[in-house]
Structures are given as C-alpha cells and as structure tokens.
Amino acid sequence: MADTVKIKINGKEYEAKKGETILDVARRNGVYIPAICYSDRFGAIGACRICAVEIVGMKKPMLSCAFKVKDGMEVLTDSEKVIEQRKKIVWEWDKFHPLQCGVCDKSGECDLQDINYELNITENPLEEEADPLSVPNRSIHHEWRIIHHDANLCIQCRRCVTICDKVVNFGILAMVKKEWGGREVDTKDGKPLECEFCGQCVSICPTGAMSSKLFKYKARPWEMEKVPTTCQFCASGCQMDLNVKDNKVLRVTSKDDTPNLANLCNLGRFNYSVIDRRLSDYYVNGRQTTKESALDKAVKLISSTKPENIAAICGGRETVEDQLMLRFFLDDVVKSNNVDSFASTHIAKLYSVLPEGVAAFNNIRDMEDCDLIFAFGGDFANEMPRLDWQITRNVKLLGVSKLITAYWRDTKIDTLGSNPLRYAVGDELKFLNSLAANLSKALGVDIPVEDGGYEIAQETLELISSAKKVAFVVGQEALERPFGDEIAKAISNLLMLVKDKVRLYVSSKYNNAYGAIFSGLTNGFGLFGKKTERVFNIYDLKEKVLDGSVKTLILMNADLHTLFSDSDVDEISSKANIILFDSYPSRMTSKAAVVLPTTTFAATDGHYINIEGKLNRVSKAIDEGFETAYQLLVEMAEKLGTKLGMGKVQEALKGEFAIQPSVESFVSTSNSSFEFAEEFKGALIYSKFRSGIFSSFGDGASIASPEGWVELSKTDAEKLGVSTGDRVTVSGEGSIEAVVRVDEAQPEGVAGVTLWYDGLNGFNVAGSLNNLFSAKITKGE
C-alpha cells in the first residue's frame, strides 16, 4: 500500500504523506493558511479555528490543522465561505480586545493585528455589543515576576498553556474559571507565577497578553535591529537575535527555524542585561590605570618569568578566536605548554577515552531518530535546558522514544514516565560498573568489569538490548566527581557495548568548552582535538603555584572561584602574578596583578563550538569601546618582539573539529565511591538560573532566583527544625550559610548546595575541584 496520496489545494495538485494534516501539506508547499494557535514547536491545538478550509463535497469548513489528507481530496483555502467564517471569528476576538495598538508592545508583530489587515477588517458588526460597561473585568497579573500577563488582550488560543506543558514540561498554566463567568489563562493554583521563567509563553503569545516586564515600553519592533548570534550561557549553541536600539540590547528573541526551534531558557531570553555590567576598567595591582600601562605591566611579568614558570587557564567562555590566539601566544611567544581549561573537569575526561565506532558529536534534533534515551549523571533541566526540552519533545510530544534516567534523585524528566534507575549520591562508578556487567551478560559479551553491587532490572537490560538507536546523554555533574576519570572509562565501556546504535550527547555549562578542546587548551588534547600528552593540569594548579613551578598565571574568562574554594584562590593569588582577561567583573579582579577588560559576546565577531560540534557564529551587535582578548594578545606579542596575526587563527578555523575515538576495547575500572564521614552526604548541584558567577549580574537570573540554597528532604528539614526560607550553616572542609529549600524529591540524608550564586561558594564546603562532601548542618540564627 502506498504511503503517499495526492490532493489538490486551490486547484493545484500536491503529493502528501498519509497521516499528514492539510496544514502540514500546505505549509510544506508554501501555501498560506492562517493558523494562530498552531506552532511548529508543538503542533495543532484546534482552539483558534482560523485555519478552517473548505473541502469540496463537505457542508462546512474543517480545521486544516486537524483534518488528515485523503487521496483525491480537493481543498480551497480562501473561498467566500472560508473568508466569511474567518471574519466572524476575528470579529469575536475584536469585540472585547482593545485594538489601541499604539500602546501595546506587540504592535508590529501581532498575529491578531496581521489577520485584521489580511481580512481587510475596517469595521466590526459586533461592535454594538462591546458596550464598555459589558466588558468583563479580566485579570492583569502585575504580581508575576519578569512576565506580565493581561487577560484583556488574550484571545484564548492556548498557545502559552500548550508550550508550557508539551515543550517545557512544566505545565503550570491552564484555562481557569473566573468570577466574571469566563475562563482565563492563569496558574493552576491561582498563586503568583513560580516557574522556570524561560519566557516561552511570551515568545509564543500571538497578541500582547504575555509580555516581558524587562522590555515593556522600551521600543517598537521596527525601531530595533535584529542581530543573529549564539547564546553565551551554555554549550547548547542556541541561536537567537539580539534586538538593538541606540547601541543597547533591549531584548532577545529567537526564530522558529533555528535548530533550537525558537526555544530559549531564562538565561538566554532574559539575562541579556549582564552585558551592561561588563568589566570596563584596566587595573594594575588593584589600581585603575590605562590600557597601555596594563599591557606594559603584563609584558613585564611575562618577560621576567621563565617560560616553564608561566601557565594559562581558559574558562571556556571566550570565542574560538580568543582561544586559538592564546594557544599561539603560548607556543610562539611564551614558549610554554602549560595550559589547561575548565573543560578538563568534565567533557575532556570522556572524550579522551571515546570508544572506536562512536561518533563524538550528533545534532540534538537527530535525537528524534532514537527509540531509547538513556540520561545519566545530571539534572538536565538545570544543566542544559535544550537537552531537557528535546527529551520532552521525543517522549511527550512526538512519542518516539522510551526513557531511562539514571541519577541519585528524581528530576523533572522523570515526570515524562521514565524507567528510573537510582543510585546513592557518589556511587556513580559502582552503578555504571553494575550496569555494564549485567548488560554484557545479557548481550553475551565478556568484559573486564567487576559488578559494583547494584541490581539492574531485567526490563532495563531488555530496553537497551532491543533498542534500534540509543541517545546516550551524559551529565556534567557526574564527570566532575572526584573520580571522574574512572567514571569516563565506565561510560566508555557502556558506549562500547552499544556503539553500533548510539548517539552521544555530553552537557557543559561552559558555552565554549568544546572550543577549548578544538583550540588545544584542554588537558589531553592538542589543536583540532587531537590527542596529546600534557604535563600541566588544572587539578595540580594550587600545588604548582605553591611550590614555585607556576609564578605567572594567565587567566582568560576563568574565575577561579567557579571551581576553587575561597581560601585556595587566596593562596594561589598571593603566590602567583595573575594576568586576567575577562569580560565581567569578579572577585578575581581585585586579586589579579593585571586586569585587561575584553568585549562581551554582544560586541564580538567570532565563533563558539557547541555540544553538536558545530562552529556557531557570534556577531557584533553593539560597540563597547574595548577590544577582544585576541586583539590584546596580538598587541602583547608585538611588545614582546613577536608578530602574531589573525591569519594563523583563520587558517586553524578551517580545520575539522572531529575528536577521534581512541579506545579499541573495554577498559578496567575500579569501584571507587566517595566516603562520607559526617551526618549528611553533600553534593554541589546546578541551577537553571546560573551559568557561572557572572550570570548573577543579569536581571533574568537575579529576579527569577535571587540567592542560592541548600536543598533538603522533608524528613531532614523536620529533624533540623527548619523549613523553606530558613537559614542553616553547612560545615565540611569549611563552612557556608545559606537559605533552605525543602524538596520532596531530595533523598533523605543528602544536602544539595547550588553552584555559582554570588556570595555562596559551595567549594568552601566541598574543597576545590570537588562536587561531593560530608557535612554537618545546623540551624542558623
């Protein structure tokens, strides 16, 4: 039986797939049918009815977004009957909808405005019914944070409700019955909005009902230039537009045809004001100075230090151009190979033991070809929302994948109906070895792995064994464990078992961590991601500084407080001369011997490499009056007597970024686990509202989540006599004070401390470069 049929639309014949809707076929072939409630991001809702078309032989128009094609069907998209029905629908919307577009932020990009023009509606027969005294007194949610909602502007298309449920998988919005007799979009419980504040509802709203408080009344759409660029807040590589007026970014938008389907998280959509808090002064020994004086001091420090005593660390937040120039500066000017990156703490560990036959990079949208998703070692809603939303799309919206989650607690993606595998926090290695040992038996393969003692259900083994294509999603958190190198080997064994059918995705909160591998700045890798041996390692930084092996330290967008305890940073900065290149102020600014401010991503032309291995463009949208890190390095090199040009960087950018698999067979791993000595097991956890301490400076992050917290189970909170909002002291390697958040998903006896909140350094408790700890917790004053 043929899988295709032929239909006619407005007299022209088209081929269609069985199961497609009329709207699907029309859109694919460039035939316009208005559809206000429909979106490619989630499909049909059937609420607006504006997409109705006439089907020859049928008495009344049918909804093109829901009606499936049939062979020989004839469709008319703009017949008199169809136009008349559309007008009646729009008249109803217009009856109570104030069309004073001059005061509405949506004017110029409003679907309701467009459909009025399209249908040439100049008067409304229902206008007489719109007596001002009869207009329902609908809600205006001034109390919601970041997002403004005016139900008077709503046409009840339910786009916001649908995207919150089917795309974000949060589902806080609903059509709620109100006292005036009708229904409005509101939170399900009627309380002020508390959500991920991703702004998907704002981006999908066809009118001005949902809008951004951060943008309201600042500009008209036609007054702004939209500059396409890549988000700076994680390695997803989400594509977006910076909306600029008068050399200022006023908002961020994204288009439906981007790889991320216009979806952006809180940081991407609402945290653009971090640009306004940029580092804007040069410093030498804590004193503000000129650019020339700062460069001269940096040059003096480098020229007076032996090459073997100079080291550099990049934070993975700079462009590839910056990273490559740092690599060449070290090679050609300093003559030192002492370099590493924050990427060495996670992704580099796994990619250094990638099994042969496993592709290093895969498009996130290609996950849709996978009938099984195995998500391990991270809370992906917090680590990388784009992965979270793709998993949701696969499982909830498209229904093409089954899901296995392996983590130490329940997470949001478990609400999709996962097959949950749970291990004790710190037991990642034991769990992985148990899974590998049991799966190898099920597949009849002999591997040198000792079972870690975890029981693996037969159902899980059958799901993995029978899957045709597996998306293996690995969390940054697991790879950052104290025994992360061993965890990487254990993951490698699992990948080896399913290598013929696996697609690998490894998350990173550092937006250009993959670029650091490409640029040869990451431990174990040289230029273009080629394997190499390296003596210098970020894990040895403190030791090498204290014993005098490192005397001058170049930091590029590398806030050491992001990975080290405050006391260790103090020791490092007291013994080493630090030359700091950075776009944003941090506690490192006062500790550095030289501070060289660099442009933010909004004022830079360059590239990032994302989780998919794609070289994504970063475009200059504003002028900040400062230079990029690579331009400053070129000037420093010239002062040191060496000419560095962009030619070498541009040539390197032509090279292929394809990390070559290197492991040919299964590897032996230990069954190490973290030894917890105190009452509480502790773990440093990520928040969707932070991506480095610098992200605290943005309005989106600071309004949505103003301070970090300690996460406790309900039972533990009751034992301590605390509840959400109370303060506690957490004592481990050192101590911190933080507010409590009680979460029923948190395992008993485990405390989670959020990372990268300004003023809350979890590494003070866990110790530098360590995300597990033993702790005592006491109630605060």
Side-chain angles (χ1 to χ4, degrees), residues 53 87 113 176 201 375 398 753 771:
V53 295
K87 282 185 176 181
Q113 194 179 56
V176 178
C201 54
L398 302 179
V753 175
N771 61 4

Side-chain angles (χ1 to χ4, degrees), residues 104 164 222 236 242 256 274 319 358 436 483 492 543 569 581 638 685 739:
C104 178
C164 186
W222 58 84
S236 292
L242 298 181
D256 285 355
V274 70
T319 64
V358 175
F483 35 85
S492 177
E543 178 186 343
V569 178
F581 295 82
E638 190 168 346
I685 58 176
V739 71

Side-chain angles (χ1 to χ4, degrees), residues 282 291-292 295-296 299 325 329 627-642 644:
Y282 299 88
K291 171 189 162 185
E292 281 304 311
L295 285 175
D296 287 343
V299 167
M325 191 60 79
F329 182 81
E627 293 170 295
T628 61
Y630 69 75
Q631 288 172 320
L632 292 172
L633 286 168
V634 167
E635 292 182 50
M636 285 173 58
E638 190 168 346
K639 287 176 178 287
L640 287 162
T642 302
L644 284 180

Side-chain angles (χ1 to χ4, degrees), residues 222-233:
W222 58 84
E223 295 176 325
M224 298 180 290
E225 178 188 4
K226 289 188 175 183
V227 182
T229 194
T230 303
C231 183
Q232 68 169 330
F233 289 109

Side-chain angles (χ1 to χ4, degrees), residues 1-17:
M1 186 179 292
D3 292 329
T4 60
V5 297
K6 291 185 177 180
I7 68 169
K8 284 186 178 180
I9 302 178
N10 298 333
K12 187 174 180 179
E13 190 171 77
Y14 298 96
E15 192 172 85
K17 299 174 185 176

Side-chain angles (χ1 to χ4, degrees), residues 641-706:
T642 302
K643 189 172 181 60
L644 284 180
M646 280 302 293
K648 194 172 182 180
V649 170
Q650 291 167 348
E651 189 63 30
L653 284 170
K654 297 176 183 178
E656 183 183 6
F657 179 43
I659 297 173
Q660 295 301 316
S662 58
V663 177
E664 299 179 8
S665 60
F666 299 100
V667 294
S668 298
T669 59
S670 68
N671 270 316
S672 301
S673 62
F674 191 81
E675 296 298 325
F676 296 96
E678 299 291 350
E679 178 185 0
F680 278 92
K681 298 178 179 180
L684 302 186
I685 58 176
Y686 289 110
S687 161
K688 61 179 63 69
F689 301 112
R690 292 294 184 275
S691 184
I693 300 169
F694 81 99
S695 60
S696 295
F697 305 147
D699 291 338
S702 59
I703 295 173
S705 183

Side-chain angles (χ1 to χ4, degrees), residues 168 170 194-199 266 381 388-389 412 688-689 704:
V168 183
F170 202 85
E194 285 296 335
C195 62
E196 297 186 0
F197 291 105
C198 58
N266 170 271
D388 170 44
W389 296 336
K412 192 179 78 167
K688 61 179 63 69
F689 301 112

